[in-house]
Amino acid sequence: MERKREIKIFGAFVLLILLLCACVFPPMTVGYAYAAESVGSPVLTDLMKDPSFDPDAWEQRADDYSMELIQIAESTDGELLLYVYQPVAKRSVKASSVNIARDQNNMASLTFDNYKLSFVDCMGVFFKYRVVGFQLAETSVRYYNISNILRPYIFGIDIEPDNDNKTGEIGYRVGQLWTVITAGEEVTYEKSVSEVIVVTDEMVGFKRYNDGFYWDGTKYCDAHFVAFNTDRDIDRIVTADLEFYSTAYWAREGQKTKYYEPVYHKKRLTHGEMVENDGGGWFGSSNQWNRIASVDYFLHEVNWTEEESKKISEYQWVLNFYESRFVCEAGGKDVLICALVPFGFIWTIVNGCTTTGEIVSDVLLLNLEFEANDEVYSMGVVANRQTSSTRPIGTDEVFNFLKWLSQKTGLPQWALVLIIIAVALLIVLPLLIKFFPDVFYAIVKGIAWLFKGLWWLICLPFRGIAALIRKARGKG
């Protein structure tokens, strides 16, 4: 009896240990899925290598454009393949990119990268993709931590952002950690759950700070940010990784804008890092703000209108991730040219209509390291890829010299233009008469011919009417 009692106690102890292990360690499914024969092998041929795979268990739904990763494989060509369940089963709807890290869950080194996907094959709801530019590690144990799979935005199907943003890609939660083990000629794939943080709402935008009026132009700092909410409670964001593109441009009123080649950026932001604009020119002002801030703190750092504050207050966190230069080419040199050069005001007006800057687009959050309830977590982010409006948000506007002068003097802008032209002529004409009389008389003659030509054009219709009347009277 004593022996049986000891066996029961030992059995209960073993059962307790197993239950504790089940609570501490995430569930893991193990299957033997060998590498595909080649990248171009049929999708179902690869999936059926897993004896537990049942294609009939995956139904087709005509209005479901979501994506679900069901399997990965390392091809014999040394490339990573993804097998995706797409309920809508339309060949025209394809995944475009995926976020992958090479580390296990919640590690300090956990870093996600976004990779483009190349379509290989599909059959019904099953799609096969190749991960472009992904190099397989030459180790016996390899980790593929996959957080987010994305597809292009579909107009008329997907919901449009209500914050003047444009969505480039729609992200879908994956949250899978694949451990691939090579032992001899056998390759084993183990899948476990990987925690992710989901962005539920976001807005990409920028605030324009006035750096001031300089000799070579009127300059500004465009401070680009992304404001967002998540499905988790966060006390403090420690680091944040994201990627985006910047495109420089040159623009002049009435002409086609010139765009340069986009530049790719991937940045890690750190809590406590500060940024400031120059603000050293005339009428400029220097400002300072945090790279990472709660929305409440961000609203205290920066001046906003009541309407703008209300819009940004809808979000929890702000990442100030990039600063670019915006320049209006009208500067101190143009004031001098306008005063000393005949008709120099024309040059000033042209430069006043000429601007250079950068457009920031395709912003994608990759991973967040954050504190919650005295614990530190590092997770991949599930988010869309978004582009902001080309208009700045905030109270700072593009500096307009005439508008500023009009506010100071109380005179309308058209009157100021006439005064500037009259003053320029009063300064320039005496100098021309004294030192360059031939130039002066040539200008006067040119102006006289110009007015004669204008008068001839104005009188031309009336001459035509008079000629018709004389002709009609002659016939009568």
Side-chain angles (χ1 to χ4, degrees):
M1 291 293 290
E2 186 67 25
R3 178 68 175 168
K4 289 182 179 179
R5 184 170 177 272
E6 289 177 355
I7 291 173
K8 288 181 179 178
I9 293 172
F10 179 75
F13 177 75
V14 170
L15 181 61
L16 179 62
I17 294 296
L18 292 173
L19 288 172
L20 287 172
C21 288
C23 293
V24 173
F25 298 101
M28 181 175 292
T29 59
V30 181
Y32 294 95
Y34 296 91
E37 293 295 330
S38 68
V39 171
S41 58
V43 58
L44 276 179
T45 300
D46 296 345
L47 289 173
M48 293 299 289
K49 290 180 179 180
D50 182 356
S52 65
F53 177 75
D54 179 12
D56 296 329
W58 307 83
E59 64 177 349
Q60 180 176 338
R61 295 189 291 271
D63 58 347
D64 189 347
Y65 288 79
S66 65
M67 298 192 170
E68 180 181 344
L69 180 66
I70 55 178
Q71 178 67 53
I72 72 168
E74 296 175 337
S75 77
T76 52
D77 300 319
E79 298 190 272
L80 184 63
L81 304 175
L82 303 185
Y83 300 87
V84 181
Y85 165 56
Q86 299 179 204
V88 75
K90 289 184 178 180
R91 191 182 182 92
S92 59
V93 179
K94 298 182 179 71
S96 50
S97 66
V98 64
N99 293 353
I100 305 176
R102 296 177 183 264
D103 291 311
Q104 300 182 64
N105 295 328
N106 209 33
M107 296 183 67
S109 59
L110 188 65
T111 302
F112 286 82
D113 289 293
N114 180 261
Y115 296 90
K116 302 300 181 186
L117 294 176
S118 176
F119 171 77
V120 177
D121 182 49
C122 68
M123 178 62 69
V125 297
F126 305 109
F127 284 67
K128 177 180 176 180
Y129 299 93
R130 175 177 64 88
V131 182
V132 178
F134 191 92
Q135 300 294 322
L136 301 184
E138 296 180 356
T139 56
S140 58
V141 180
R142 299 167 297 282
Y143 299 105
Y144 303 106
N145 202 333
I146 305 175
S147 60
N148 190 23
I149 189 167
L150 303 99
R151 64 161 174 80
Y153 175 86
I154 303 174
F155 181 79
I157 299 297
D158 298 314
I159 299 174
E160 295 185 23
D162 57 359
N163 47 30
D164 208 17
N165 278 203
K166 293 182 180 179
T167 303
E169 290 180 290
I170 302 293
Y172 291 98
R173 180 180 191 145
V174 178
Q176 298 178 11
L177 171 63
W178 289 85
T179 305
V180 182
I181 304 170
T182 300
E185 295 184 357
E186 188 177 82
V187 180
T188 305
Y189 292 77
E190 300 175 350
K191 183 179 74 171
S192 60
V193 174
S194 177
E195 285 192 291
V196 294
I197 183 167
V198 179
V199 170
T200 55
D201 298 287
E202 65 180 311
M203 178 185 71
V204 181
F206 68 97
K207 178 170 175 59
R208 180 162 289 164
Y209 297 95
N210 188 358
D211 281 338
F213 190 70
Y214 289 83
W215 171 258
D216 58 344
T218 310
K219 301 179 181 181
Y220 307 83
C221 173
D222 285 353
H224 303 269
F225 67 86
V226 54
F228 61 96
N229 297 324
T230 72
D231 65 341
R232 291 176 176 267
D233 292 328
I234 298 175
D235 296 329
R236 182 171 74 101
I237 295 178
V238 181
T239 63
D241 288 1
L242 74 166
E243 68 171 28
F244 58 94
Y245 290 84
S246 65
T247 304
Y249 68 88
W250 176 95
R252 177 174 289 165
E253 291 291 336
Q255 295 187 24
K256 185 177 180 181
T257 301
K258 181 179 180 180
Y259 296 97
Y260 298 88
E261 284 296 316
V263 178
Y264 172 78
H265 303 263
K266 183 183 178 185
K267 294 189 69 173
R268 166 161 287 190
L269 311 181
T270 305
H271 177 80
E273 183 181 357
M274 300 295 295
V275 194
E276 63 179 347
N277 69 305
D278 183 4
W282 290 354
F283 319 116
S285 61
S286 181
N287 300 270
Q288 193 177 57
W289 60 95
N290 281 274
R291 281 278 182 224
I292 301 175
S294 66
V295 164
D296 290 339
Y297 196 85
F298 184 54
L299 290 174
H300 281 91
E301 285 184 307
V302 180
N303 293 323
W304 305 94
T305 65
E306 183 177 349
E307 182 181 352
E308 290 156 352
S309 296
K310 185 178 180 181
K311 180 183 293 186
I312 296 175
S313 297
E314 298 174 2
Y315 303 93
Q316 299 168 330
W317 295 95
V318 174
L319 304 178
N320 294 290
F321 62 89
Y322 186 67
E323 292 74 46
S324 61
R325 174 61 61 87
F326 177 83
V327 178
C328 174
E329 292 190 3
K333 66 183 186 306
D334 298 278
V335 175
L336 188 62
I337 290 171
C338 185
L340 299 180
V341 178
F343 304 103
F345 65 91
I346 298 175
W347 173 269
T348 302
I349 291 171
V350 170
N351 279 346
C353 297
T354 305
T355 57
T356 59
E358 291 183 41
I359 294 175
V360 171
S361 62
D362 298 315
V363 180
L364 178 65
L365 293 176
L366 297 172
N367 53 278
L368 293 176
E369 181 184 2
F370 60 93
E371 290 182 3
N373 299 320
D374 297 325
E375 295 287 339
V376 178
Y377 302 90
S378 182
M379 297 181 187
V381 177
V382 180
N384 298 335
R385 188 185 294 276
Q386 289 193 191
T387 297
S388 73
S389 166
T390 55
R391 296 176 299 175
I393 188 171
T395 55
D396 287 0
E397 298 178 355
V398 176
F399 177 74
N400 186 309
F401 180 75
L402 283 176
K403 182 178 179 181
W404 174 82
L405 198 59
S406 176
Q407 292 172 346
K408 295 296 182 182
T409 61
L411 296 173
Q413 294 186 34
W414 63 266
L416 290 171
V417 171
L418 292 178
I419 292 171
I420 290 172
I421 294 172
V423 171
L425 291 174
L426 288 173
I427 295 172
V428 173
L429 289 179
L431 294 174
L432 288 175
I433 294 170
K434 184 174 180 62
F435 297 105
F436 305 99
D438 293 338
V439 175
F440 171 73
Y441 290 117
I443 291 173
V444 171
K445 192 174 182 180
I447 293 173
W449 277 105
L450 177 63
F451 279 104
K452 284 182 180 180
L454 289 173
W455 182 252
W456 182 83
L457 285 174
I458 292 170
C459 295
L460 185 61
F462 300 100
R463 290 197 186 99
I465 294 170
L468 288 173
I469 293 173
R470 287 194 300 270
K471 189 176 181 181
R473 287 177 177 174
K475 285 183 179 180

